[in-house]
Amino acid sequence: VEIGVGQHMDELDANPELPDPEPDGSVNTEESLERPVAWDEYTGLRLDPDLVYKSRREEIQFMDQLNVWEFRPRTEAFDRTGEPPIGNRWVECNKRDSSRMDVRSRIVVQETKRVSSISPDDVAAVFSATPPLEAIRMVLSLFMTVRSGVDNDRVLSFLDISRAHPHCDVLRENLYVNLPPESGVPLGYCGSQKRSLYGLRDAPQAFEKQVRE
């Protein structure tokens, strides 16, 4: 069974090939869902279904640990925003090669200028300071060329934060997102975002705010 990325949960009833929900309306993501069919975002090559399944589970577990969303009725999104929840999709790639696959899965929100509560002209709401490549080159050049004495050792550090955006609180209220079946979201429900996800237009600004504070 191919699990389409960003599939709305209310479509599950219409697809007899997908698993039946549990009595409480949730979907058993541990056993019932078949291994997903997915392709590398950058190479287009098909990924190992078992590794994709494992990677998606790890991503969902990480989101649950950070309490990224709260299950809320889809009707609440319509009542409060007048719009349906924003879509999502899985973005996946193999970090190694075909002989030693290391699949990484990320949930990405499909928010665009046309599908957003932020005005398309509101540049300030989505701006985040990003050093240009030239600035990084300048720092590296200065580090290697400027001498300050043999006894004055210096260290140049580069910090890479894994899954940076989910560590940040959202900057907006009433932000509703469709969640993938792997999240165990009940039928007729979506996610009310408490923390940022990749794909939100103001997620970079939320991260900048988190770092600044």
Side-chain angles (χ1 to χ4, degrees):
V1 177
E2 179 175 350
I3 307 299
V5 292
Q7 183 177 18
H8 293 185
M9 290 303 299
D10 55 3
E11 296 175 354
L12 291 176
D13 281 340
N15 190 340
E17 296 181 353
L18 292 176
D20 294 330
E22 300 297 320
D24 61 354
S26 65
V27 174
N28 189 333
T29 60
E30 299 293 331
E31 300 176 358
S32 298
L33 287 178
E34 297 291 339
R35 297 300 188 260
V37 177
W39 287 263
D40 191 298
E41 184 74 13
Y42 307 106
T43 66
L45 298 177
R46 184 166 177 171
L47 299 172
D48 184 291
D50 289 332
L51 295 180
V52 173
Y53 177 82
K54 178 182 177 182
S55 179
R56 291 186 181 184
R57 282 189 56 192
E58 292 175 350
E59 179 76 352
I60 293 297
Q61 290 171 358
F62 184 83
M63 298 302 164
D64 289 340
Q65 291 175 2
L66 291 182
N67 199 22
V68 173
W69 52 63
E70 177 185 5
F71 293 154
R72 302 298 301 169
R74 288 173 55 84
T75 53
E76 182 177 298
F78 284 96
D79 293 341
R80 295 191 177 183
T81 68
E83 300 290 340
I86 305 172
N88 78 88
R89 74 184 188 97
W90 285 105
V91 173
E92 289 153 323
C93 66
N94 177 18
K95 302 294 291 184
R96 295 184 180 176
D97 54 43
S98 58
S99 63
R100 298 181 305 158
M101 277 195 177
D102 180 15
V103 176
R104 172 178 293 179
S105 301
R106 292 289 182 266
I107 301 173
V108 177
V109 180
Q110 296 174 299
E111 184 178 30
T112 65
K113 289 184 177 180
R114 295 179 59 186
V115 183
S116 176
S117 59
I118 301 174
S119 171
D121 301 325
D122 191 356
V123 178
V126 298
F127 173 80
S128 64
T130 304
L133 179 60
E134 290 77 8
I136 298 176
R137 288 175 173 172
M138 181 185 69
V139 170
L140 293 174
S141 178
L142 290 173
F143 182 82
M144 296 301 297
T145 57
V146 176
R147 302 295 180 180
S148 59
V150 293
D151 296 330
N152 188 11
D153 293 336
R154 294 172 296 171
V155 177
L156 180 63
S157 298
F158 180 82
L159 304 179
D160 182 20
I161 301 176
S162 178
R163 300 183 179 98
H165 290 174
H167 289 278
C168 311
D169 294 333
V170 293
L171 302 180
R172 289 173 281 167
E173 296 181 349
N174 299 324
L175 186 57
Y176 297 91
V177 174
N178 283 316
L179 298 177
E182 291 85 353
S183 68
V185 60
L187 293 174
Y189 279 67
C190 62
S192 174
Q193 293 303 123
K194 304 171 74 173
R195 293 181 177 271
S196 293
L197 282 174
Y198 290 101
L200 291 175
R201 294 183 61 208
D202 56 356
Q205 188 176 104
F207 178 70
E208 179 185 355
K209 180 175 181 292
Q210 183 80 8
V211 173
R212 187 169 61 245
E213 293 179 349

